């Protein structure tokens, strides 16, 4: 599969050299020389990956990252940093950048960052496909015989994901066995009470978005398990309709991605370490 990639950098040399490398790697490449143009282009067109310099005139890489995640959260962003940009690089990871690489750019490190972005895109697509199939199975429950209903109920309950059915007020109507086993849930609770132990809905709640437009939405957040530990979950929502297509409930499926995030943190730390060593060696050689 060919992925669309936007390269934003104000240095013509980097645009030319990286442009040749990325095209040879098979990416459908677009280039811009400042952050403002990149932001405008991201509104006009959907990109799989954005590779941007962290320091650019007009709009810097951090501002561009915030703009992209607000308007196109599925786009994966890789930051290009220079010497002394360590704090900005860490801030970009907190803002959901998938990775960062240091100048001068090493092709092997760039390949690792691109591979990580592609893997994240593919994981999200597989999760969406799985959720779509699961939605089809849930909708078929109302039209099939009792034997089929039991089979689908078993699939719902034995799924390794945390699955809940919620109404428009975010009250949890039904949950599967995995949810009951790992989440401290009592009848009458809302999702934010069960997952977060808080008293108001989460910002940018994907369930509320699905009730608003009827479309599937996703989000990533940290939750508190029944044993008090914290986990990162990837959420996908799907509307459940009744009668003439009226949206009555939303199914929320949450997959635990804690181990994946810890591995990403380790890889990011390794990247920082390698960058520091590389810089020190270059100083010695100079």
């Amino acid at each position: 599969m060919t992925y669309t990639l936007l390269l934003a950098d104000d240095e013509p040399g980097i645009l030319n050299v990286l442009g040749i490398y990325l095209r040879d790697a098979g990416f459908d490449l677009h280039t811009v020389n400042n952050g403002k143009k990149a932001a405008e282009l991201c509104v006009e067109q959907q990109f799989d990956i954005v590779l941007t310099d962290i320091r650019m005139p007009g709009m810097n890489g951090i501002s561009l990252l915030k703009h992209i995640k607000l308007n196109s959260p599925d786009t994966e962003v890789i930051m290009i940093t220079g010497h002394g940009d360590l704090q900005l690089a860490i801030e970009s990871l907190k803002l959901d950048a998938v990775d960062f690489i240091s100048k001068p750019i090493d092709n092997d490190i760039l390949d690792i960052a691109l591979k990580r972005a592609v893997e994240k895109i593919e994981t999200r697509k597989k999760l969406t496909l799985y959720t779509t199939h699961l939605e089809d199975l849930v909708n078929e429950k109302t039209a099939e015989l009792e034997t089929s209903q039991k089979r689908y109920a078993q699939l719902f309950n034995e799924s390794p994901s945390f699955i809940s059915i919620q109404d428009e007020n975010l009250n949890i109507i039904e949950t599967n066995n995995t949810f009951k086993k790992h989440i401290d849930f009592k009848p009458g609770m809302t999702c934010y009470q069960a997952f977060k132990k808080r008293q108001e809905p989460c910002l940018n709640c994907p369930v509320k978005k699905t009730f608003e437009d009827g479309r599937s939405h996703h989000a990533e957040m940290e939750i508190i398990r029944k044993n008090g530990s914290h986990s990162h979950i990837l959420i996908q929502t799907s509307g459940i309709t009744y009668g003439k297509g009226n949206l009555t409930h939303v199914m929320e499926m949450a997959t635990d991605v804690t181990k994946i995030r810890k591995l990403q943190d380790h890889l990011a730390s390794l990247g920082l370490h390698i960058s520091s060593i590389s810089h020190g060696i270059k100083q010695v050689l100079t």
Side-chain angles (χ1 to χ4, degrees), residues 22 32 50 66 108 122 161 182 190 214 233 235-236 260 263:
L22 292 169
V32 291
V50 173
K66 292 178 180 178
D108 290 335
E122 290 301 319
S161 300
H182 296 285
T190 60
I233 58 171
I235 294 174
Q236 189 82 25
I260 296 175
L263 178 59

Side-chain angles (χ1 to χ4, degrees), residues 4 7 78 93 97 105 124 131 141 150-151 158 162 170 199 221 224 226 254 260 270 277:
T4 56
L7 173 61
I78 301 171
L93 293 178
I105 296 173
R124 186 164 51 243
T131 303
K141 286 175 63 178
K150 290 180 180 179
R151 178 160 53 90
E158 292 183 359
F162 310 130
L170 306 182
Q199 297 305 314
M221 63 178 62
I224 303 173
K226 185 181 291 186
I260 296 175
L270 179 59
I277 293 174

Side-chain angles (χ1 to χ4, degrees), residues 189-246:
M189 277 188 171
T190 60
C191 62
Y192 49 89
Q193 290 172 330
F195 273 142
K196 294 273 197 172
K197 310 302 181 190
R198 56 187 292 170
Q199 297 305 314
E200 67 261 349
C202 303
L203 186 65
N204 296 323
C205 172
V207 175
K208 293 181 67 176
K209 289 182 179 180
T210 298
F211 271 114
E212 290 170 1
D213 59 17
R215 300 169 58 187
S216 177
H217 290 275
H218 72 270
E220 183 171 341
M221 63 178 62
E222 186 178 88
I223 63 167
I224 303 173
R225 285 173 172 260
K226 185 181 291 186
N227 61 8
S229 65
H230 291 242
S231 295
H232 285 277
I233 58 171
L234 191 61
I235 294 174
Q236 189 82 25
T237 61
S238 180
I240 299 176
T241 57
Y242 179 78
K244 297 181 179 180
N246 296 321

Side-chain angles (χ1 to χ4, degrees), residues 111-170:
D111 286 342
I112 292 173
L114 290 170
K115 183 179 180 182
R116 187 177 302 157
V118 168
E119 287 176 348
K120 193 172 180 181
I121 292 169
E122 290 301 319
T123 298
R124 186 164 51 243
K125 287 181 179 179
K126 290 177 181 178
L127 181 59
T128 300
L129 182 62
Y130 178 74
T131 303
T132 301
H133 289 167
L134 187 58
E135 177 189 357
D136 293 339
L137 294 178
V138 173
N139 287 334
E140 288 173 8
K141 286 175 63 178
T142 59
E144 293 188 353
L145 299 174
E146 185 177 357
T147 53
S148 297
Q149 292 177 333
K150 290 180 180 179
R151 178 160 53 90
Y152 296 142
Q154 184 180 14
L155 174 64
F156 176 84
N157 279 313
E158 292 183 359
S159 172
S161 300
F162 310 130
I163 302 177
S164 64
I165 307 297
Q166 301 176 26
D167 66 16
E168 197 166 6
N169 296 318
L170 306 182

Side-chain angles (χ1 to χ4, degrees), residues 20-87:
I20 293 172
Y21 182 81
L22 292 169
R23 286 190 181 94
D24 288 343
F27 289 97
D28 178 12
L29 183 68
H30 302 256
T31 61
V32 291
N33 59 8
N34 64 68
K36 187 176 180 181
K37 288 182 180 178
E40 292 172 351
L41 196 57
C42 285
V43 172
E44 298 171 2
Q45 181 177 346
Q46 176 76 30
F47 291 97
D48 295 310
I49 302 170
V50 173
L51 182 60
T52 177
D53 192 2
I54 208 165
R55 291 188 182 274
M56 292 183 291
M59 174 182 277
N60 63 26
I62 296 295
S63 297
L64 177 59
L65 171 62
K66 292 178 180 178
H67 174 85
I68 291 172
K69 289 302 177 181
L70 179 64
N71 294 280
S72 181
D74 285 350
T75 299
E76 300 301 335
V77 182
I78 301 171
M79 311 299 291
I80 302 174
T81 67
H83 177 61
D85 290 335
L86 178 59
Q87 192 59 43

